[in-house]
Amino acid sequence: MTRAVVLGAGMVGSTIAADLAAEPGWQVTVADARGAALARLSGVQTVRADLGDADRVRALAGEFDIALGALPSRLGLQTLGAVIDAGTSYVDISFMNDDPLPLSARAAARGVTAVVDCGVAPGLSNMLCGQAVTRLRPCTRLDIYVGGLPKQRAWPFEYKAGFAPWDVIEEYVRPARYVVGGKLVVREALSEPELIELPRAGTVEAFNTDGLRSLIHTLSVPDMREKTLRYPGHIELMRVFRETGLFSLEPIRVGDQTVRPRDVTAALLFPKWTYADGEADLTVMRVEARGALAGAPTLLRWDLYDEYDPASNARSMSRTTAFPATAVARMIARGEFPLAPGVYAPETPAQSPGFVERVLADLAARGVHVTAASEAA
Amino acid sequence: MTRAVVLGAGMVGSTIAADLAAEPGWQVTVADARGAALARLSGVQTVRADLGDADRVRALAGEFDIALGALPSRLGLQTLGAVIDAGTSYVDISFMNDDPLPLSARAAARGVTAVVDCGVAPGLSNMLCGQAVTRLRPCTRLDIYVGGLPKQRAWPFEYKAGFAPWDVIEEYVRPARYVVGGKLVVREALSEPELIELPRAGTVEAFNTDGLRSLIHTLSVPDMREKTLRYPGHIELMRVFRETGLFSLEPIRVGDQTVRPRDVTAALLFPKWTYADGEADLTVMRVEARGALAGAPTLLRWDLYDEYDPASNARSMSRTTAFPATAVARMIARGEFPLAPGVYAPETPAQSPGFVERVLADLAARGVHVTAASEAA
């Protein structure tokens, strides 16, 4: 019997819980402060707990064999520390802003295996990059394109937010860090838009965002970029909003008050960017790796296209984020994780033989299909 | 000696004052509450006065032969009433929201001639429409296209406001009233965008705004429309801003405060929409009249293109607004105004022989040229 606790009963947390609860031999508990979110769950046990309290998280995690984190990013680092201190293995999709890898020694000392950034991108994208560097000798370039989109496009934004809309705006203003010619370079967010054609999704627009995260430090590939995907035109509007100052956090005077423009923009935009219940989304991701395969210049390409699942009422963004995490959690629980205890970004275990294949098989079993291609480049 | 007072020392008021002061036999006084605005003037007398005080306006206007109004639109109606009560003739470009024509009997009783809406559009546009209905029998359709634009286009708005920016936003939200098939119809502002080619200005985009004003009531032409002109793309951005709620006057909660989104948008946009000192603007206007000329289907077309004048440092919007007003003021002062005392919109005296020709000659003498064309339709 594997006893798992899922921290957070949001969209991804509940999809993680449902997936693990369907696994023979697993007993799943979901913890959240929000009773209403817990009440919507079935087939799992629930615990009402303030997960912003690290002591509470440590005590809770200590009762379980493995924990899965699906909390807001601002809680990511403290939760990782608390779960490590509890001596419980951990798979996390909080996408914390802080660097989690310095906690690796502490995890190793406690015999804890923790994998962070373990969603779709970051997550599956990292794993594919990790595999690429083992197949291409050398791997000279990695490109990641990823986006979550509404299936039905509606003027003017043709966009809804599959995760916290505030984080979307943050993504639209934070400078993007890339590796070009072996050097770290910084590009303006939303810059260098390009139209690309993807299977089923059609023409989408890719633009610079700060998404490489751990890959910048863990892989020594001289060229690495990540771009976010939207329907064409969205990004020009976001550039206009940013230029106008609507995303600014600098307070301005309005009459006898002082307000941050982004707060006002968020109050207006977020209701329009929120998926209706049952509204279909889709996830598109392309990872390209260039380099030499047995001496021949080669391009490896992976394409993912996934849609909302009406049967489980799970949005594609929840599915594609949850299933890489549950795949890794199953490996850890079965003692099949390939590395010694420590904190890892997904690209590191993905360099072990068979790791990516097992994750992709688990995704495929859940209807999330990744096609792979290889061509002379 | 004609003694004239100009109410308002803003951009248009100061251009009106300079134009009249250059006229032999005219002595010009400019009144404004803002000492700094008055201090910038030369060749005229100045009076510091609170023109929001109708009693003060009445007393002041009573000392002059003719008054010219260049005040904010909210002061338009009360100022018209005060000048009439002073027994002083009046030409106004305040573009008041209220209907001024009910004051006509009061003006007639005081022997006062007042012409309102006497700028470029409304103003010159009305005069050309007035002339069209005397030339075409019948005149079946009138179309007015007009816009003030920066000469240099800058991403993203390619626009600066030649008059109060708040009034520009009002123009972008207020439903447009048209006459179609003899009936008053209402169209959404910013709707029905179309690209049109104009001499010198190139391709511009025309869209519905509420600009017909008095023409709806004074002319019995079955089809009348007015559209505003911007560089292509601007209006789509404004539609997005409006759709997002950024032009809304409905207060929203932001944290522990309540703000009107339009106030925030205005605070961010207006600095970007303000002309720099010496920055060149341009004015484009096309008026088209369709009907029968001696029984033959005919299209009459007038085109105006004017630019910032570096010699006088007067913006085109100030020039094209001021000169129709000064042309009419000169006619009134010389006793050459064709109608009995009363309050008039410009299309009414424009139906008298020679009126439009004299206004156009005065404009041409000041470098504002209107080309006229006639073709079979």
Side-chain angles (χ1 to χ4, degrees), chain B:
Chain B
M1 175 66 63
T2 300
R3 297 177 324 130
V5 63
V6 179
L7 307 173
M11 293 189 302
V12 179
S14 56
T15 305
I16 286 174
D19 189 47
L20 292 179
E23 194 78 15
W26 283 63
Q27 192 180 78
V28 178
T29 299
V30 181
D32 202 301
R34 299 164 297 173
L38 294 174
R40 280 196 296 269
L41 305 174
S42 62
V44 297
Q45 297 188 293
T46 60
V47 173
R48 213 152 154 193
D50 174 9
L51 302 177
D53 175 353
D55 290 339
R56 184 79 180 84
V57 170
R58 191 179 60 241
L60 181 67
E63 301 169 27
F64 294 87
D65 304 315
I66 190 163
L68 291 102
L71 292 171
S73 57
R74 66 186 162 77
L75 296 176
L77 191 69
Q78 77 174 44
T79 304
L80 173 63
V83 175
I84 289 170
D85 291 347
T88 302
S89 288
Y90 190 47
V91 180
D92 181 45
I93 60 95
S94 75
F95 312 131
M96 61 192 81
N97 287 322
D98 326 81
D99 181 4
L101 299 185
L103 274 64
S104 195
R106 195 160 132 201
R110 292 299 312 258
V112 164
T113 296
V115 181
V116 297
D117 279 5
C118 202
V120 58
L124 182 59
S125 57
N126 300 53
M127 297 178 199
L128 297 172
C129 289
Q131 192 191 55
V133 300
T134 66
R135 290 173 59 189
L136 300 173
R137 304 286 177 146
C139 177
T140 55
R141 176 165 174 164
L142 292 166
D143 290 277
I144 300 166
Y145 303 93
V146 65
L149 295 168
K151 192 170 179 192
Q152 186 165 315
R153 298 159 67 154
W155 180 87
F157 299 109
E158 301 195 352
Y159 178 68
K160 297 205 168 177
F163 52 98
W166 190 267
D167 291 343
V168 175
I169 292 185
E170 185 60 29
E171 187 174 88
Y172 289 171
V173 298
R174 195 174 58 221
R177 286 163 294 177
Y178 285 179
V179 179
V180 178
K183 293 204 166 58
L184 187 68
V185 301
V186 176
R187 301 274 167 84
E188 192 182 49
L190 309 183
S191 62
E192 299 181 295
E194 55 175 321
L195 297 178
I196 64 173
E197 303 292 323
L198 291 181
R200 300 185 67 185
T203 305
V204 292
E205 194 168 24
F207 55 94
N208 291 337
T209 44
D210 187 46
L212 283 179
R213 299 173 62 92
S214 59
L215 293 170
I216 293 172
H217 308 292
T218 57
L219 300 186
S220 58
V221 175
D223 283 276
M224 293 190 281
R225 291 152 230 257
E226 202 224 43
K227 286 184 153 183
T228 294
L229 302 173
R230 297 285 184 264
Y231 291 121
H234 173 86
I235 219 53
E236 172 69 5
L237 291 182
M238 295 299 95
R239 285 165 53 94
V240 172
F241 273 49
R242 187 181 60 184
E243 169 74 11
T244 303
L246 289 165
F247 292 157
S248 170
L249 292 173
E250 202 62 48
I252 60 167
R253 286 211 65 77
V254 176
D256 55 358
Q257 300 188 101
T258 298
V259 296
R260 299 190 306 176
R262 194 190 295 183
D263 291 327
V264 178
T265 306
L268 293 171
L269 270 186
F270 292 177
K272 298 180 192 296
W273 281 9
T274 300
Y275 280 99
D277 189 42
E279 185 177 353
D281 72 326
L282 56 88
T283 307
V284 280
M285 183 172 78
R286 166 170 284 180
V287 176
E288 290 182 337
R290 287 173 171 81
L293 192 66
T298 301
L299 167 65
L300 305 179
R301 175 184 290 139
W302 292 268
D303 277 309
L304 176 152
Y305 176 93
D306 183 64
E307 285 186 7
Y308 166 76
D309 176 35
S312 61
N313 192 28
R315 286 216 290 275
S316 173
M317 184 53 67
S318 305
R319 292 158 43 79
T320 58
T321 304
F323 299 154
T326 59
V328 172
R330 278 187 291 269
M331 274 194 258
I332 293 172
R334 292 182 195 132
E336 295 167 356
F337 189 79
L339 304 176
V343 176
Y344 298 102
E347 61 272 24
T348 305
Q351 295 173 52
S352 298
F355 184 94
V356 169
E357 287 77 0
R358 294 178 63 172
V359 171
L360 292 178
D362 278 10
L363 263 60
R366 287 154 184 80
V368 177
H369 298 281
V370 177
T371 61
S374 165
E375 59 187 62

Side-chain angles (χ1 to χ4, degrees), chain A:
Chain A
M1 176 65 65
T2 299
R3 298 179 322 131
V5 63
V6 179
L7 307 173
M11 294 188 302
V12 179
S14 55
T15 305
I16 287 174
D19 188 47
L20 292 179
E23 194 79 13
W26 284 63
Q27 192 182 77
V28 177
T29 299
V30 180
D32 202 302
R34 300 166 295 174
L38 294 174
R40 280 195 296 269
L41 305 173
S42 63
V44 296
Q45 299 188 292
T46 61
V47 173
R48 211 151 157 194
D50 174 9
L51 302 178
D53 175 353
D55 290 339
R56 183 80 179 85
V57 170
R58 192 180 60 240
L60 181 67
E63 302 168 25
F64 294 87
D65 304 315
I66 190 164
L68 290 101
L71 292 171
S73 58
R74 66 187 161 77
L75 296 177
L77 192 69
Q78 76 173 45
T79 304
L80 173 63
V83 175
I84 289 171
D85 290 347
T88 302
S89 288
Y90 190 49
V91 180
D92 181 46
I93 60 94
S94 75
F95 312 131
M96 62 193 78
N97 287 323
D98 326 81
D99 181 4
L101 299 185
L103 274 65
S104 195
R106 193 161 134 199
R110 293 299 312 257
V112 165
T113 296
V115 180
V116 298
D117 279 4
C118 202
V120 58
L124 182 59
S125 57
N126 300 53
M127 297 178 199
L128 297 172
C129 289
Q131 193 190 56
V133 300
T134 66
R135 291 173 58 189
L136 300 173
R137 303 285 177 146
C139 176
T140 55
R141 177 167 174 163
L142 292 166
D143 289 277
I144 300 166
Y145 303 93
V146 65
L149 295 167
K151 193 171 178 190
Q152 186 164 316
R153 298 159 67 155
W155 181 87
F157 299 110
E158 301 195 354
Y159 178 68
K160 297 205 169 177
F163 51 99
W166 190 268
D167 290 344
V168 175
I169 292 185
E170 185 60 29
E171 187 174 270
Y172 289 171
V173 298
R174 194 174 58 222
R177 285 163 296 177
Y178 284 0
V179 179
V180 178
K183 292 202 167 57
L184 187 68
V185 301
V186 176
R187 301 274 167 83
E188 191 181 51
L190 310 182
S191 61
E192 300 182 294
E194 55 176 321
L195 298 178
I196 64 173
E197 304 292 323
L198 291 182
R200 300 186 65 184
T203 304
V204 291
E205 194 166 24
F207 55 94
N208 290 337
T209 45
D210 188 47
L212 283 179
R213 301 173 61 93
S214 60
L215 293 169
I216 293 172
H217 308 293
T218 58
L219 300 187
S220 59
V221 175
D223 283 276
M224 293 191 280
R225 292 150 229 258
E226 202 224 47
K227 286 185 152 183
T228 295
L229 302 173
R230 297 286 184 263
Y231 291 121
H234 174 85
I235 218 53
E236 172 70 5
L237 292 181
M238 296 298 96
R239 285 164 54 93
V240 172
F241 273 49
R242 187 182 59 184
E243 169 74 11
T244 303
L246 290 164
F247 292 157
S248 170
L249 292 172
E250 202 63 47
I252 60 167
R253 287 212 65 78
V254 175
D256 55 359
Q257 300 187 104
T258 298
V259 295
R260 298 190 307 175
R262 194 190 294 182
D263 291 328
V264 177
T265 306
L268 293 170
L269 269 187
F270 292 177
K272 298 181 192 293
W273 281 10
T274 301
Y275 281 99
D277 189 42
E279 185 177 353
D281 71 327
L282 55 88
T283 307
V284 279
M285 183 171 76
R286 166 170 285 181
V287 176
E288 290 182 337
R290 287 173 172 80
L293 193 65
T298 300
L299 168 66
L300 305 179
R301 176 185 290 141
W302 292 267
D303 276 309
L304 176 152
Y305 175 94
D306 183 63
E307 284 187 7
Y308 166 76
D309 175 35
S312 61
N313 192 30
R315 287 216 290 274
S316 173
M317 183 54 65
S318 305
R319 292 157 44 78
T320 58
T321 303
F323 299 154
T326 59
V328 172
R330 277 186 292 269
M331 273 193 257
I332 293 173
R334 292 181 195 135
E336 295 166 356
F337 190 79
L339 304 175
V343 176
Y344 298 102
E347 61 272 24
T348 305
Q351 295 172 52
S352 298
F355 184 95
V356 169
E357 287 77 1
R358 294 178 63 172
V359 172
L360 291 178
D362 277 11
L363 263 62
R366 286 153 183 81
V368 177
H369 298 280
V370 176
T371 61
S374 166
E375 60 187 60

